[in-house]
Amino acid sequence: MNTEPDRRRRPPTDGLPRTEPMSPMQVRQNAAAKRMLRRLVQGENPPTAPLSIVDRLVGSPYANPMIQVGGVDAAARKTIDFAVKLAESMFRYGAGALEVETSIIAITAAFGLKNIEVDITNQSVAINYAPKDQTPITVLRVVRSWTNNYAGLAQVHQLVTDIVAGGVGREEAVRRLEDITRSAKPFPRWMVTVAFGVFAAVFVGVLGGGLGASMVAFVSNLLVSLLARQLGRWRTPDFFITAACSFLVTIIALLLWRFGSPLGVQIAPAIVVVGGILLLLPTGRLVSSVQDAINGFPVTAAGRFLSTLLTFGAVVAGIAVGFVVGELTGSEPIDVTKTFPPAYDLWVVVILTAIAVIMIGITEQTDSKLLLPTAAVGVVGYLVLIACDALGLGSRFAPALAAVVIGLLARVVALRMGAPQLVVAVPASLILLPGLAIFRSMYVLTIEETEILIGAGGMLNAGAIVLGVAAGIVLGDTLARPLTRSLASNERRRARRR
């Protein structure tokens, strides 16, 4: 056999070192190294590839929805109508934009709709369905009213969870949503009014006020609640309702300071006013606006921030007018630098804090089964606040750190109880807000004209604390997401068993 042609084609290799063939392990390692190098150089996806809308569910309780197939495109309009009505209900009950968006994406994906786009602003929800080679469908819903109904928000959250689990069809989902929107709130109006007054009385005790100050705060806040209800019947704008309520609680405190209380004990007006204005502050709206800004909804956040600022302005305006009227009546100057030592032992203050949080939950119409867990979260946050103050962390950082703890615990507790984080976090965090700082700053701005810069600085400081508390709640919610993935999956497994 002639091998001469082979020698001409191949170069001589006698001088090269001999190499052993690679083992299967080395082949796999080589391939893995090539893949890693390719990822480092090229990336897994093209940089201009659009983000799938279902990827927005990552980190939410509705990740990986169970898709229900079979004739969904034929009834796409019904699914979209249901989704936009559910979104409107969530907005009315105080949900954030991210929660509304993820709920829409989750239920439309669960019912088999693709090619969905969602656009959310401060007052409207738009859903566009544009399947290939078909006529697109766009539905817009404007939200024109808001109400305190955290129980309804928790029920809507549970409905979305059941839909994502695949255990609820569209017809049943529509029926359940109708039942939620038509059902009565868990607490009657008279109980909400009493809870408003009890919160003020209890919180005054937490701040260091005695029994007399708590009684004055209780009565004045009953009057505030009745005034707000009457002005609401007259279709008065919310700005003027808040300003009128803030004025009423301020003037009552100043008149009692000027003429003396029926109890024969002179009560510092600052501590009474603080108990009255805390429930007037738009805590839930502020938390939602900060959450929307952080989560990438600038238009919605801007609208809610403006609404929040108007409410804060109404509170400040009411206090300022109260000071002016009080000065006309000959009210004596107030020592706004006065501090209030604890009036009760720590264990009593802890109990009062728990009662205050429960009262907030009643005013927000929270489900009764969530009241005690929310109170527990609020107590933990208050203890963290006390510990931070004892460590000397400062009046701005301590409430923010306590809010982070509240936000983290609120997500864990809320998902375990089948509710969104906001339902637990907002009532538990209200005790962190700087009511005394707002009162003192407004007094200096309104009465002591020579100290305007000090008053303005105090208002900026109070605003920084409020924003720190709101951002802390959102940060706590974000930190808790890796800890609550199993809770969301457990919720879906329970829904499947039902």
Side-chain angles (χ1 to χ4, degrees), residues 416-439:
R416 189 174 293 276
M417 302 292 292
Q421 185 250 13
L422 189 74
V423 170
V424 176
V426 170
S429 63
L430 195 64
I431 56 175
L432 304 178
L433 297 183
L436 276 174
I438 295 175
F439 176 87

Side-chain angles (χ1 to χ4, degrees), residues 411-498:
R411 182 178 176 89
V412 176
V413 171
L415 287 184
R416 189 174 293 276
M417 302 292 292
Q421 185 250 13
L422 189 74
V423 170
V424 176
V426 170
S429 63
L430 195 64
I431 56 175
L432 304 178
L433 297 183
L436 276 174
I438 295 175
F439 176 87
R440 290 165 176 164
S441 303
M442 278 313 305
Y443 183 84
V444 172
L445 280 173
T446 307
I447 303 300
E448 301 179 7
E449 298 180 357
T450 59
E451 304 291 344
I452 291 180
L453 292 179
I454 296 178
M459 285 302 298
L460 289 176
N461 182 55
I465 295 174
V466 172
L467 289 177
V469 169
I473 292 173
V474 177
L475 177 60
D477 178 65
T478 304
L479 294 177
R481 287 182 181 180
L483 306 176
T484 54
R485 290 174 182 169
S486 60
L487 293 180
S489 61
N490 289 338
E491 190 68 32
R492 288 195 292 270
R493 283 197 291 269
R494 285 197 296 269
R496 290 192 190 104
R497 285 197 294 269
R498 287 197 294 269

Side-chain angles (χ1 to χ4, degrees), residues 68-132:
Q68 305 175 29
V69 296
V72 291
D73 286 340
R77 178 56 190 262
K78 293 183 179 179
T79 299
I80 296 174
D81 287 340
F82 166 73
V84 77
K85 186 175 182 179
L86 182 138
E88 180 195 16
S89 301
M90 296 182 70
F91 255 134
R92 290 187 66 242
Y93 298 157
L98 180 63
E99 185 179 357
V100 175
E101 184 192 60
T102 53
S103 298
I104 294 174
I105 297 170
I107 60 179
T108 52
F111 289 145
L113 292 187
K114 299 180 181 179
N115 306 301
I116 287 286
E117 290 295 340
V118 181
D119 183 40
I120 296 176
T121 62
N122 183 41
Q123 287 185 301
S124 64
V125 179
I127 303 178
N128 181 59
Y129 175 60
K132 188 177 181 180

Side-chain angles (χ1 to χ4, degrees), residues 12-46:
T13 60
D14 295 339
L16 298 177
R18 292 181 175 274
T19 57
E20 297 293 334
M22 289 190 297
S23 64
M25 177 69 72
Q26 291 174 323
V27 172
R28 288 194 295 271
Q29 291 176 347
N30 235 4
K34 290 179 180 179
R35 286 195 299 270
M36 180 61 69
L37 182 61
R38 190 181 304 113
R39 291 175 181 175
L40 291 174
V41 176
Q42 178 180 340
E44 293 185 1
N45 296 312

Side-chain angles (χ1 to χ4, degrees), residues 227-478:
L227 175 63
R229 187 174 302 170
Q230 184 59 47
L231 292 177
R233 293 194 186 103
W234 293 342
R235 302 285 183 174
T236 306
D238 291 339
F239 179 88
F240 297 110
I241 293 177
T242 304
C245 293
S246 179
F247 165 78
L248 180 61
V249 72
T250 303
I251 196 63
I252 289 175
L254 293 178
L255 290 178
L256 291 177
W257 173 260
R258 168 71 175 85
F259 299 105
S261 67
L263 302 174
V265 180
Q266 195 172 36
I267 300 172
I271 201 167
V272 177
V273 174
V274 170
I277 66 172
L278 276 187
L279 284 178
L280 299 177
L281 298 177
T283 313
R285 205 178 311 161
L286 179 63
V287 172
S288 296
S289 61
V290 172
Q291 191 176 33
D292 293 343
I294 293 175
N295 291 326
F297 295 89
V299 176
T300 306
R304 288 189 171 183
F305 267 127
L306 179 59
S307 176
T308 301
L309 288 176
L310 283 175
T311 304
F312 274 110
V315 172
V316 168
I319 294 175
V321 174
F323 284 148
V324 172
V325 175
E327 189 179 27
L328 293 176
T329 62
S331 178
E332 299 178 3
I334 301 173
D335 182 11
V336 293
T337 63
K338 181 181 178 180
T339 58
F340 303 96
Y344 306 101
D345 294 333
L346 179 60
W347 67 271
V348 178
V349 173
V350 169
I351 294 176
L352 293 178
T353 302
I355 296 174
V357 175
I358 291 175
M359 293 302 106
I360 299 170
I362 293 176
T363 60
E364 297 288 353
Q365 295 289 352
T366 303
D367 195 340
S368 56
K369 69 179 181 180
L370 285 169
L371 291 178
L372 289 179
T374 304
V377 173
V379 167
V380 173
Y382 184 72
L383 292 176
V384 172
L385 177 65
I386 294 176
C388 292
D389 287 336
L391 294 174
L393 296 182
S395 61
R396 287 187 289 265
F397 185 71
L401 185 58
V404 173
V405 176
I406 288 177
L408 192 151
L409 294 177
R411 182 178 176 89
V412 176
V413 171
L415 287 184
R416 189 174 293 276
M417 302 292 292
Q421 185 250 13
L422 189 74
V423 170
V424 176
V426 170
S429 63
L430 195 64
I431 56 175
L432 304 178
L433 297 183
L436 276 174
I438 295 175
F439 176 87
R440 290 165 176 164
S441 303
M442 278 313 305
Y443 183 84
V444 172
L445 280 173
T446 307
I447 303 300
E448 301 179 7
E449 298 180 357
T450 59
E451 304 291 344
I452 291 180
L453 292 179
I454 296 178
M459 285 302 298
L460 289 176
N461 182 55
I465 295 174
V466 172
L467 289 177
V469 169
I473 292 173
V474 177
L475 177 60
D477 178 65
T478 304

Side-chain angles (χ1 to χ4, degrees), residues 137-160:
I137 301 174
T138 300
V139 178
L140 173 69
R141 184 68 59 91
V142 177
V143 184
R144 294 184 173 87
S145 63
W146 290 265
T147 182
N148 294 335
N149 192 355
Y150 280 175
L153 182 59
Q155 292 174 354
V156 173
H157 173 88
Q158 187 60 53
L159 173 60
V160 177

